[in-house]
Amino acid sequence: MADESEQAVEAAIDAELRLLDPDVRASPVLVSELLDPAFIEFGASGRRWDAASILAVTSANSVDPESPVKVSEMSGAVLAPGVVHLTYFADNSGRRAWRSSLWRLTETGWRMYFHQGTLAS
């Protein structure tokens, strides 16, 4: 069982890191492949996002290829079969936040179901 759990966490981490990749974020098609249709985010800004609003902002060059998001302290845990919770620290050009994501395994692969960012001092 530990192997399956480790594989699930690794798959969710890989998907999370893809979502942070400037090339992926610039493509609504690639982003939509990683977001669950029921996706919701409570952003560090305090704003509530859904999949459509995230697609609009990510395709608008929200991540500078010259200054990609720096990620540290990423860890994950399997909450139930096919559900992984990730937490990590992100630094986006000096805007620092703790991040938390829920990923679920679907017929088409791992998709982010929920995300929350909390600004760090």
mmCIF file of all heavy atoms in Angstrom, residues 63-83:
data_model
loop_
_atom_site.group_PDB
_atom_site.id
_atom_site.type_symbol
_atom_site.label_atom_id
_atom_site.label_comp_id
_atom_site.label_asym_id
_atom_site.label_seq_id
_atom_site.Cartn_x
_atom_site.Cartn_y
_atom_site.Cartn_z
ATOM 1 N N VAL A 63 2.526 33.962 -15.223
ATOM 2 C CA VAL A 63 3.824 33.562 -14.697
ATOM 3 C C VAL A 63 4.883 33.996 -15.700
ATOM 4 O O VAL A 63 4.859 33.616 -16.857
ATOM 5 C CB VAL A 63 3.902 32.038 -14.467
ATOM 6 C CG1 VAL A 63 5.289 31.626 -14.018
ATOM 7 C CG2 VAL A 63 2.876 31.605 -13.444
ATOM 8 N N ASP A 64 5.802 34.803 -15.243
ATOM 9 C CA ASP A 64 6.883 35.300 -16.087
ATOM 10 C C ASP A 64 7.892 34.175 -16.309
ATOM 11 O O ASP A 64 8.448 33.649 -15.348
ATOM 12 C CB ASP A 64 7.546 36.487 -15.390
ATOM 13 C CG ASP A 64 8.681 37.095 -16.179
ATOM 14 O OD1 ASP A 64 9.012 36.584 -17.264
ATOM 15 O OD2 ASP A 64 9.241 38.099 -15.697
ATOM 16 N N PRO A 65 8.144 33.801 -17.575
ATOM 17 C CA PRO A 65 9.115 32.734 -17.834
ATOM 18 C C PRO A 65 10.503 33.047 -17.278
ATOM 19 O O PRO A 65 11.273 32.141 -16.978
ATOM 20 C CB PRO A 65 9.170 32.641 -19.361
ATOM 21 C CG PRO A 65 7.980 33.364 -19.859
ATOM 22 C CD PRO A 65 7.556 34.322 -18.795
ATOM 23 N N GLU A 66 10.808 34.316 -17.107
ATOM 24 C CA GLU A 66 12.109 34.715 -16.560
ATOM 25 C C GLU A 66 12.148 34.597 -15.037
ATOM 26 O O GLU A 66 13.219 34.600 -14.444
ATOM 27 C CB GLU A 66 12.431 36.156 -16.973
ATOM 28 C CG GLU A 66 12.460 36.369 -18.476
ATOM 29 C CD GLU A 66 13.526 35.520 -19.171
ATOM 30 O OE1 GLU A 66 14.651 35.445 -18.665
ATOM 31 O OE2 GLU A 66 13.194 34.923 -20.216
ATOM 32 N N SER A 67 10.980 34.540 -14.395
ATOM 33 C CA SER A 67 10.904 34.450 -12.933
ATOM 34 C C SER A 67 9.872 33.402 -12.534
ATOM 35 O O SER A 67 8.803 33.731 -12.015
ATOM 36 C CB SER A 67 10.509 35.803 -12.342
ATOM 37 O OG SER A 67 11.432 36.785 -12.672
ATOM 38 N N PRO A 68 10.149 32.120 -12.773
ATOM 39 C CA PRO A 68 9.170 31.095 -12.416
ATOM 40 C C PRO A 68 8.939 31.036 -10.903
ATOM 41 O O PRO A 68 9.774 31.487 -10.117
ATOM 42 C CB PRO A 68 9.795 29.802 -12.932
ATOM 43 C CG PRO A 68 11.244 30.092 -13.037
ATOM 44 C CD PRO A 68 11.375 31.563 -13.304
ATOM 45 N N VAL A 69 7.816 30.504 -10.527
ATOM 46 C CA VAL A 69 7.484 30.332 -9.112
ATOM 47 C C VAL A 69 8.496 29.375 -8.492
ATOM 48 O O VAL A 69 8.776 28.308 -9.030
ATOM 49 C CB VAL A 69 6.054 29.782 -8.956
ATOM 50 C CG1 VAL A 69 5.742 29.506 -7.494
ATOM 51 C CG2 VAL A 69 5.040 30.736 -9.560
ATOM 52 N N LYS A 70 9.041 29.780 -7.349
ATOM 53 C CA LYS A 70 9.977 28.927 -6.607
ATOM 54 C C LYS A 70 9.183 28.176 -5.546
ATOM 55 O O LYS A 70 8.466 28.788 -4.753
ATOM 56 C CB LYS A 70 11.073 29.766 -5.969
ATOM 57 C CG LYS A 70 11.964 30.440 -6.982
ATOM 58 C CD LYS A 70 13.034 31.279 -6.287
ATOM 59 C CE LYS A 70 13.851 31.999 -7.332
ATOM 60 N NZ LYS A 70 13.783 33.433 -7.224
ATOM 61 N N VAL A 71 9.330 26.868 -5.541
ATOM 62 C CA VAL A 71 8.575 26.003 -4.641
ATOM 63 C C VAL A 71 9.523 25.334 -3.662
ATOM 64 O O VAL A 71 10.604 24.886 -4.041
ATOM 65 C CB VAL A 71 7.815 24.929 -5.456
ATOM 66 C CG1 VAL A 71 7.155 23.925 -4.536
ATOM 67 C CG2 VAL A 71 6.794 25.579 -6.370
ATOM 68 N N SER A 72 9.103 25.271 -2.395
ATOM 69 C CA SER A 72 9.874 24.545 -1.392
ATOM 70 C C SER A 72 8.915 23.872 -0.417
ATOM 71 O O SER A 72 7.729 24.175 -0.381
ATOM 72 C CB SER A 72 10.833 25.485 -0.652
ATOM 73 O OG SER A 72 10.118 26.497 0.017
ATOM 74 N N GLU A 73 9.461 22.969 0.359
ATOM 75 C CA GLU A 73 8.732 22.278 1.425
ATOM 76 C C GLU A 73 7.490 21.556 0.929
ATOM 77 O O GLU A 73 6.500 21.452 1.659
ATOM 78 C CB GLU A 73 8.378 23.257 2.554
ATOM 79 C CG GLU A 73 9.601 23.916 3.170
ATOM 80 C CD GLU A 73 9.265 24.827 4.322
ATOM 81 O OE1 GLU A 73 8.555 24.372 5.248
ATOM 82 O OE2 GLU A 73 9.724 25.995 4.299
ATOM 83 N N MET A 74 7.516 21.045 -0.302
ATOM 84 C CA MET A 74 6.344 20.345 -0.824
ATOM 85 C C MET A 74 6.252 18.955 -0.213
ATOM 86 O O MET A 74 7.222 18.216 -0.169
ATOM 87 C CB MET A 74 6.376 20.248 -2.346
ATOM 88 C CG MET A 74 5.074 19.649 -2.887
ATOM 89 S SD MET A 74 4.925 19.696 -4.679
ATOM 90 C CE MET A 74 4.600 21.436 -4.958
ATOM 91 N N SER A 75 5.061 18.633 0.258
ATOM 92 C CA SER A 75 4.801 17.297 0.776
ATOM 93 C C SER A 75 3.356 16.936 0.469
ATOM 94 O O SER A 75 2.532 17.803 0.171
ATOM 95 C CB SER A 75 5.071 17.225 2.285
ATOM 96 O OG SER A 75 4.184 18.060 2.986
ATOM 97 N N GLY A 76 3.078 15.656 0.543
ATOM 98 C CA GLY A 76 1.736 15.204 0.230
ATOM 99 C C GLY A 76 1.326 14.025 1.067
ATOM 100 O O GLY A 76 2.169 13.321 1.638
ATOM 101 N N ALA A 77 0.014 13.821 1.119
ATOM 102 C CA ALA A 77 -0.553 12.693 1.846
ATOM 103 C C ALA A 77 -1.788 12.205 1.106
ATOM 104 O O ALA A 77 -2.558 13.011 0.574
ATOM 105 C CB ALA A 77 -0.940 13.105 3.268
ATOM 106 N N VAL A 78 -1.948 10.905 1.077
ATOM 107 C CA VAL A 78 -3.147 10.312 0.500
ATOM 108 C C VAL A 78 -4.241 10.377 1.558
ATOM 109 O O VAL A 78 -4.072 9.859 2.670
ATOM 110 C CB VAL A 78 -2.887 8.862 0.049
ATOM 111 C CG1 VAL A 78 -4.172 8.208 -0.417
ATOM 112 C CG2 VAL A 78 -1.835 8.831 -1.048
ATOM 113 N N LEU A 79 -5.352 11.037 1.222
ATOM 114 C CA LEU A 79 -6.467 11.158 2.162
ATOM 115 C C LEU A 79 -7.453 10.007 2.018
ATOM 116 O O LEU A 79 -8.125 9.629 2.977
ATOM 117 C CB LEU A 79 -7.194 12.482 1.953
ATOM 118 C CG LEU A 79 -6.359 13.745 2.150
ATOM 119 C CD1 LEU A 79 -7.221 14.982 1.933
ATOM 120 C CD2 LEU A 79 -5.728 13.768 3.529
ATOM 121 N N ALA A 80 -7.560 9.484 0.794
ATOM 122 C CA ALA A 80 -8.441 8.370 0.473
ATOM 123 C C ALA A 80 -7.952 7.837 -0.871
ATOM 124 O O ALA A 80 -7.187 8.521 -1.558
ATOM 125 C CB ALA A 80 -9.898 8.844 0.373
ATOM 126 N N PRO A 81 -8.369 6.657 -1.265
ATOM 127 C CA PRO A 81 -7.931 6.181 -2.583
ATOM 128 C C PRO A 81 -8.282 7.208 -3.667
ATOM 129 O O PRO A 81 -9.424 7.656 -3.776
ATOM 130 C CB PRO A 81 -8.716 4.881 -2.768
ATOM 131 C CG PRO A 81 -8.985 4.410 -1.374
ATOM 132 C CD PRO A 81 -9.206 5.680 -0.574
ATOM 133 N N GLY A 82 -7.263 7.627 -4.423
ATOM 134 C CA GLY A 82 -7.487 8.568 -5.507
ATOM 135 C C GLY A 82 -7.607 10.019 -5.087
ATOM 136 O O GLY A 82 -7.983 10.867 -5.892
ATOM 137 N N VAL A 83 -7.269 10.339 -3.833
ATOM 138 C CA VAL A 83 -7.331 11.725 -3.349
ATOM 139 C C VAL A 83 -6.039 12.042 -2.603
ATOM 140 O O VAL A 83 -5.693 11.374 -1.624
ATOM 141 C CB VAL A 83 -8.537 11.968 -2.405
ATOM 142 C CG1 VAL A 83 -8.554 13.410 -1.908
ATOM 143 C CG2 VAL A 83 -9.844 11.629 -3.098
#
